[in-house]
Amino acid sequence: MFPFRLIACDIDGTLSMDNTLSLRSVHTLQKLQQQGVSIVLCSGRSYPDVLSLRNQHLLALDMLLLNGAMQVNAKGQILHATAIKKQSAKMILQMLQKEPIAIGCYDETHIYSLEEEDRPSFQKHYLQSFTDTTPVMSCFKTITETDLPKTILKIELLEKDEEKRQRLQTRLSTLQEVKVTTSGWDNLEITSPLVSKGTALQTYVAQHGFTKEEVLVFGDSENDLSMFSCFPNSVAVANACTQIKNAARYHCKEAKEDGVVQFLEMLIKHAV
């Protein structure tokens, strides 16, 4: 028997490195589902992104998205969403507006790019990075009540300068109104202080009657750390950041080598 009842897996940098899944990954995940193992994708991505990926491979999976701000079931129904308070989002965006960085916002179904003269375009960067997806992208030009999205689940900043990015992260981390993390070397992700992948996964586990020992977690980036802190059986891919590697109980090969799948196949083999 497979030793875990639930697999919770990050996508980018963990299950995938190129915005798609290998046939080997799809086959293994489907095999585990047939054996009664539940699988939930835990990602910083938006719903349009993951919907495209899921439909591409015909995978019916539950999803915890936008770093846990939104829960979507295998039928595509949005079960829960936790937004940043409107005044907090406005205050954060006004503060960030002074910085020459790309800024994007997410609600349940749309992605919004702050488009101003002399500001790097979040929309342009996003569409270059996710060429296989067709997100619903909109723009806003001012940070006012009428121009801002009605609901903001996540704010994302793109900045390649490490010193500037670390300065912004340090500053944002002092604010009680939000939580800040990162999923890559060039971004910062801001959500409600009530939101994290770990918190969302704990809620999901309680809803479905699993114990924390029955959960196997995979990740690679700082935004996965909360899952590793909440669940004892955690696996870091070889390309993971140092924090994740140090927090992990187990380790597997890099994402580009299908490290997650190789680890799962090993568990399947030994369960026979």
Side-chain angles (χ1 to χ4, degrees):
M1 180 180 294
F2 193 77
F4 300 98
R5 294 179 60 203
L6 174 66
I7 295 166
C9 191
D10 171 54
I11 300 175
D12 298 296
T14 303
L15 189 61
S16 169
M17 282 297 288
D18 57 1
N19 200 36
T20 187
L21 299 180
S22 69
L23 291 178
R24 182 180 182 182
S25 296
V26 174
H27 173 76
T28 300
L29 295 179
Q30 290 175 335
K31 182 175 182 179
L32 286 167
Q33 284 184 307
Q34 291 168 1
Q35 294 180 6
V37 179
S38 297
I39 300 168
V40 59
L41 297 179
C42 305
S43 178
R45 284 202 195 194
S46 68
Y47 183 45
D49 290 336
V50 183
L51 183 63
S52 173
L53 188 69
R54 191 184 69 171
N55 290 346
Q56 178 184 352
H57 299 289
L58 302 178
L59 286 171
L61 303 174
D62 291 341
M63 300 174 286
L64 304 176
L65 303 176
L66 300 173
N67 292 331
M70 187 166 74
Q71 180 181 348
V72 182
N73 66 17
K75 296 180 180 179
Q77 299 169 322
I78 299 173
L79 303 181
H80 179 75
T82 302
I84 304 171
K85 289 183 178 180
K86 194 65 176 283
Q87 287 303 313
S88 298
K90 183 179 178 182
M91 179 267 292
I92 294 293
L93 288 169
Q94 287 174 335
M95 182 184 80
L96 295 172
Q97 192 177 22
K98 302 172 185 177
E99 303 283 347
I101 55 177
I103 300 174
C105 300
Y106 300 78
D107 65 11
E108 291 90 339
T109 56
H110 289 67
I111 305 166
Y112 302 85
S113 176
L114 177 59
E115 298 293 323
E116 297 176 310
E117 187 176 355
D118 298 326
R119 177 175 300 283
S121 172
F122 184 88
Q123 177 177 242
K124 181 178 179 180
H125 174 92
Y126 195 96
L127 294 177
Q128 287 175 342
S129 300
F130 294 96
T131 54
D132 294 330
T133 65
T134 53
V136 182
M137 181 77 74
S138 302
C139 299
F140 63 104
K141 297 183 181 296
T142 63
I143 300 175
T144 62
E145 294 289 341
T146 55
D147 209 11
L148 281 178
K150 292 183 179 180
T151 301
I152 298 178
L153 302 183
K154 188 180 84 167
I155 301 169
E156 184 173 5
L157 319 177
L158 300 174
E159 175 54 65
K160 294 182 179 180
D161 186 298
E162 183 178 359
E163 183 177 344
K164 184 185 294 186
R165 192 174 63 255
Q166 289 181 346
R167 174 176 58 81
L168 283 170
Q169 185 168 11
T170 299
R171 184 180 179 189
L172 290 165
S173 296
T174 65
L175 302 176
Q176 296 182 348
E177 293 87 352
V178 292
K179 180 175 291 183
V180 59
T181 186
T182 178
S183 62
W185 66 272
D186 65 344
N187 84 330
L188 293 176
E189 300 182 352
I190 303 164
T191 59
S192 161
L194 303 176
V195 167
S196 72
K197 286 189 181 184
T199 300
L201 186 55
Q202 283 181 314
T203 299
Y204 182 89
V205 165
Q207 289 172 342
H208 292 80
F210 301 119
T211 66
K212 63 181 182 180
E213 291 78 16
E214 293 174 323
V215 182
L216 183 63
V217 177
F218 291 90
D220 76 302
S221 297
E222 184 182 309
N223 65 336
D224 299 314
L225 194 58
S226 58
M227 294 194 296
F228 282 41
S229 300
C230 294
F231 296 90
N233 296 304
S234 54
V235 187
V237 288
N239 54 281
C241 68
T242 301
Q243 286 177 294
I244 288 293
K245 288 181 178 178
N246 291 340
R249 182 174 183 178
Y250 307 107
H251 298 82
C252 66
K253 292 184 178 181
E254 293 187 10
K256 66 181 181 181
E257 299 179 80
D258 274 338
V260 169
V261 175
Q262 288 192 49
F263 193 91
L264 293 173
E265 288 173 344
M266 181 258 308
L267 292 178
I268 293 171
K269 182 178 179 180
H270 285 84
V272 175

